Amino acid sequence: MAKLLRYLGQAIFYILFVSVIGYFSTYPVYTHLPPDQGLVKLSFIHTAQRKGACRERTDEELAKLAPNMRVRKVCPRERSDVVVELDVDGKPLYHVVLPPSGVTRDGSSAVYRRFQLPAGRHHFTARLKDWESAEFNYTGAADVTLAPGRVMVIDFKAGAGGFLFKS
Amino acid sequence: MEGALSAVFGPALNPFYFLGGIAYFLLWVLVASGFYVYFFFDTGVVLGYQSLEDLTRKQPYLGGVLRSLHHYAADGMVLAMTLHLLREFFMDRYRNFRWFSWVTGVPLLWLVYASGIGGYWQVWDRLAQFIAIGTAEWFDYFPIFGEPLVRNFLEDGGVSDRFFSLLAFAHIGIPLLLMVFLWVHTQRITRAVAAPPAPVALGILLALVALSLIKPILSHAAADLGAVPNNLKFDWFYLAVYPLLYIWSPGAVWALTGGFTLLLFLLPWLPPRMHQEPIVEVHLDNCNGCGNCVADCPYAALSLEPRTDGRRFVHEAVLRPDLCASCGVCVGSCPYAMPFRSVGELVSGVDLPDVPVRALRATTDKAVAALAGEVRVMVFGCDHAPKIVKAPGVAYVGLRCIGMLPPSFIDYALRGSAVDGVFIIGCADCRYRRGDQWLKQRLAGERDPRLRGRVSRERVHHCSVTDIPGGRVTAHREFAEFREHLRRLPRRRVGSETGSATPRG
């Protein structure tokens, strides 16, 4: 009888062991986003304009350089910050100043940011400036219907004309 | 819980005493089941998902079960590993000489998680998509990549088949690295428990197979980067930290995981410092280089080296002080720890300076001399085991570990007629890993030094329990039964051989 009880106890242990594993390996279900919401992801990589203008070296300057270094055009390495603003339905949602990467600040600026928005139709306006001027040199706007549980991506490609709204 | 398991499994098979071994065993289950799954698995954005679907749907009773077993064994490994860590911590088994095993266990946590989470990516379903994006967002907290990693998962087409080949390679490579670290983790432990006893291993395996049949693991819908992965059947063993990325922030999750890891690394040196008794001393005058102590040391603190003192023996025992636990298990193995020796000063080849063998003999002599009553029992007990209350007819000698008891002391206690029986209490879950096991083997004549054949076994009882309520009850019950058993035996008289007797009255 005692042996039977021990086997029963062992069976209960194994059932408990696999029950814990079986339950927590799939439950509770994780709800990442409420059902009436969608995601907007603003993300791009962009290399801003140089901080200063390029210039031509004088003959005297060139003469001082080693022969293999005598390139007439010289440009400052450092690039401007990239400033981005995003408005949704006329209200400012995001503003960021993106410094150039690299020790000498001559690399690209990158951004990735996600926003949770109610599903439905929204008006998006994005602005970007990549120079030293106070003016934004790129602006894009779009009316987009954000479906529940869907992702909309706002990308930026200067060569393609600026902001791209992909849903 | 531990007591209940000891009651139903018996102390020798209590799964709580083999948590590390269970984790090890589940790793081999993972390797075996993983081999089969990998045989049918195609790496690729679409192929990976499709091949696993085929495996699950077209051969549910083999491929499907083995896929589920692979999943559940991985979860079981995390569970066993976590319990192992918690148990070692709460039992204060992570400081002093144990620091190495503790510290080398910390990277194992990261490697186990990296292996498991990497496995999820292979499926490339909605859950994999969520994990991939979450991991990328988490790692992008540190601006070490030229381009944010997460940009690879912005739109379909961002990742290629080659990326999944790389993931498959990592899912094999990281577990291999895990095995290397496991080897390092057990380096300072002799005869590390790399598997639970066969009945426990079989029980766990059958239970996991049954779970795989009852609740097979299925993929979510295929990944779609245009959709938000939602309502996910979440594996909380591996993924519990991911929701925190969105409740808190990636930086906060780094602070949590990094801070916890750092804390684990530093724990062995944080106050309060654990007191350690003086370590073993080797006395070459009494060492013949037999190697018993080297074989029995639970922490590889002793080794045999060529003789240096010119005596005719080939080897001598050499101690690595930083590895010594001061447990005294080596003392119990030394043939020179012989209380019958009539030398000027009894010294063992390996001896504890604060509890030398001569002191143990003196304590035994004193305890035996004080014994009186109808049934006189000499009790040798581990300091970490349940205590048998001193009472008339009971003499108690405590030891740092029961493995410290040379079997000749049992012979010694029973040599006259002052003791009717010897009761030994060791720990089923020995604080120094092997003490109780080695003593048991010495008593059974399976390990040197052996209990001499002339000792009447019916007057010796070895009780193996844990110092928990259930263990105390067992120890007292076995003690009462042993006394009653001795009462029924013929009374011993002066001049009898060790443990033999003449009829009472």
Side-chain angles (χ1 to χ4, degrees), chain A residues 11 14-15 17 24 26 33 38-39 41-42 66 75 79 92 94 110-111 115 128 141 143 147 150 155:
Chain A
Y14 287 122
I15 290 168
F17 176 70
F24 287 108
T26 44
L33 204 67
L39 274 187
K41 294 183 176 179
L42 169 69
C75 299
R79 293 183 182 273
Y94 188 53
V111 65
F115 308 98
L128 179 147
D143 287 308
R150 297 298 297 180
D155 202 348

Side-chain angles (χ1 to χ4, degrees), chain A residues 22 26 28 30 32-33 45 112 149, chain B residues 137 147 215 226 228 230 232 236:
Chain A
T26 44
Y30 173 60
H32 184 49
L33 204 67
I45 296 176
Y112 169 81
Chain B
E137 288 176 346
E147 179 178 338
K215 189 169 171 280
V228 180
N230 222 357
L232 300 167
W236 293 92

Side-chain angles (χ1 to χ4, degrees), chain A residues 71-147:
Chain A
V71 180
R72 187 162 291 278
K73 192 174 180 183
V74 60
C75 299
R77 289 188 70 169
E78 192 175 346
R79 293 183 182 273
S80 299
D81 292 338
V82 173
V83 181
V84 185
E85 289 182 356
L86 177 65
D87 297 348
V88 177
D89 300 328
K91 292 177 187 165
L93 181 68
Y94 188 53
H95 169 93
V96 66
V97 178
L98 306 167
S101 58
V103 178
T104 52
R105 295 170 59 88
D106 61 343
S108 306
S109 301
V111 65
Y112 169 81
R113 181 78 191 220
R114 43 178 279 159
F115 308 98
Q116 204 171 306
L117 290 181
R121 195 157 183 80
H122 297 284
H123 180 71
F124 295 90
T125 308
R127 292 177 291 279
L128 179 147
K129 80 180 187 74
D130 63 352
W131 56 10
E132 289 303 292
S133 164
E135 297 296 314
F136 285 92
N137 48 339
Y138 293 95
T139 303
D143 287 308
V144 178
T145 301
L146 185 62

Side-chain angles (χ1 to χ4, degrees), chain A residues 5-10 13-35 37-39 41 43-45 101 108 110-112 114 149-153 155 157 166, chain B residues 1 5 7-10 15 26 71-72 75-76 79 120 130 133 137 146-148 150-151 153-155 199-200 203-204 207-208 211 215 217 224-237 243 246:
Chain A
L5 281 175
R6 285 184 62 183
Y7 285 135
L8 187 67
Q10 290 178 20
F13 163 77
Y14 287 122
I15 290 168
L16 197 68
F17 176 70
V18 293
S19 298
V20 169
I21 290 175
Y23 182 77
F24 287 108
S25 69
T26 44
Y27 295 100
V29 167
Y30 173 60
T31 305
H32 184 49
L33 204 67
Q37 305 265 306
L39 274 187
K41 294 183 176 179
S43 178
F44 61 80
I45 296 176
S101 58
S108 306
V111 65
Y112 169 81
R114 43 178 279 159
R150 297 298 297 180
V151 179
M152 173 198 162
V153 176
D155 202 348
K157 285 190 171 68
K166 307 170 187 172
Chain B
M1 180 75 176
L5 287 179
V8 296
F9 281 90
L26 289 173
H71 181 112
Y72 289 132
D75 288 339
L79 183 60
Y120 271 108
F130 171 79
I133 293 170
E137 288 176 346
E147 179 178 338
V150 72
R151 280 185 57 77
F153 307 107
L154 275 183
E155 299 168 84
V200 176
I204 288 172
L208 289 178
L211 178 63
K215 189 169 171 280
I217 291 296
D224 172 6
L225 292 173
V228 180
N230 222 357
N231 300 324
L232 300 167
K233 288 187 173 175
F234 222 55
D235 184 343
W236 293 92
F237 291 103
Y246 306 104

